[in-house]
Amino acid sequence: MRHRLYWLLPDLASARLAMDQLLLARIEHRHLHFHAREGTDLGSLHKASALQSSDLVSAAQRGLALGAALGAACGALFAVSPVLDEANKPALVAALAASGALFGAWTASMVGVSVPSRRLARFNWDIEHGMILLMADIPHRRVSEIEALMLAHNPEAHFEGHEPNVPSFP
């Protein structure tokens, strides 16, 4: 697991310097995500994807749960029908719950990708006023080292906290 550290950087030059320092500290490029105001050219900086900047993941999770519940409820309604064989009723409930979960996750993720992330809402004002948000996914054992490095080499960067338990793979 990793910790996601947040820094607000005042401009593109500062963001490039921060990226260079983190790359020299052997933080992989794929674990550095920069988020800026719409239309900002980040150049060679690794722009935050929809996974980091939208509500995609939490919307998909909510859709999965709601779809599974509604699918299971529909399956239960069909299961009380005298038309179906008793042996097929549990399979029908399970199939409709699974189908509902998949459909719910898919449709909710389509909506969630267009909604800004609630986790990043606290940075909206700063981003709209030209600052650049750096999200760095750091191994737990290196958090204090990277915080000290950023503070030493980027005095203009504002440390904005961290989020524990970010999965390692995205």
Side-chain angles (χ1 to χ4, degrees):
M1 296 303 275
R2 294 179 172 268
H3 277 242
R4 176 162 289 163
L5 304 180
Y6 296 100
W7 282 281
L8 280 171
L9 304 158
D11 54 27
L12 197 54
S14 178
R16 282 192 182 111
L17 177 64
M19 182 184 72
D20 290 342
Q21 291 298 321
L22 291 169
L23 289 173
L24 288 171
R26 300 200 184 280
I27 302 299
E28 294 179 40
H29 190 259
R30 67 187 176 110
H31 294 298
L32 304 175
H33 316 286
F34 292 88
H35 185 58
R37 159 176 67 206
E38 188 79 29
T40 302
D41 181 21
L42 293 176
S44 64
L45 298 177
H46 187 225
K47 187 175 181 192
S49 71
L51 287 174
Q52 291 92 27
S53 62
S54 72
D55 209 23
L56 174 81
V57 174
S58 61
Q61 289 171 340
R62 288 190 305 272
L64 181 86
L66 184 60
L70 288 174
C74 287
L77 285 175
F78 283 120
V80 296
S81 169
V83 177
L84 293 175
D85 184 21
E86 286 297 319
N88 294 335
K89 289 181 181 182
L92 176 69
V93 173
L96 286 176
S99 299
L102 291 173
F103 183 74
W106 177 68
T107 55
S109 67
M110 293 296 115
V111 173
V113 76
S114 64
V115 176
S117 173
R118 284 184 266 150
R119 289 176 301 151
L120 303 182
R122 63 186 168 136
F123 305 115
N124 285 347
W125 190 89
D126 295 311
I127 290 170
E128 286 304 314
H129 286 85
M131 295 192 88
I132 298 172
L133 177 66
L134 165 60
M135 296 173 274
D137 299 335
I138 309 295
H140 176 70
R141 68 185 185 286
R142 296 193 63 198
V143 168
S144 57
E145 170 198 346
I146 297 301
E147 283 180 22
L149 174 82
M150 283 291 291
L151 291 174
H153 293 281
N154 299 80
E156 71 283 356
H158 298 282
F159 180 66
E160 296 292 330
H162 67 93
E163 207 176 296
N165 301 328
V166 174
S168 299
F169 55 85

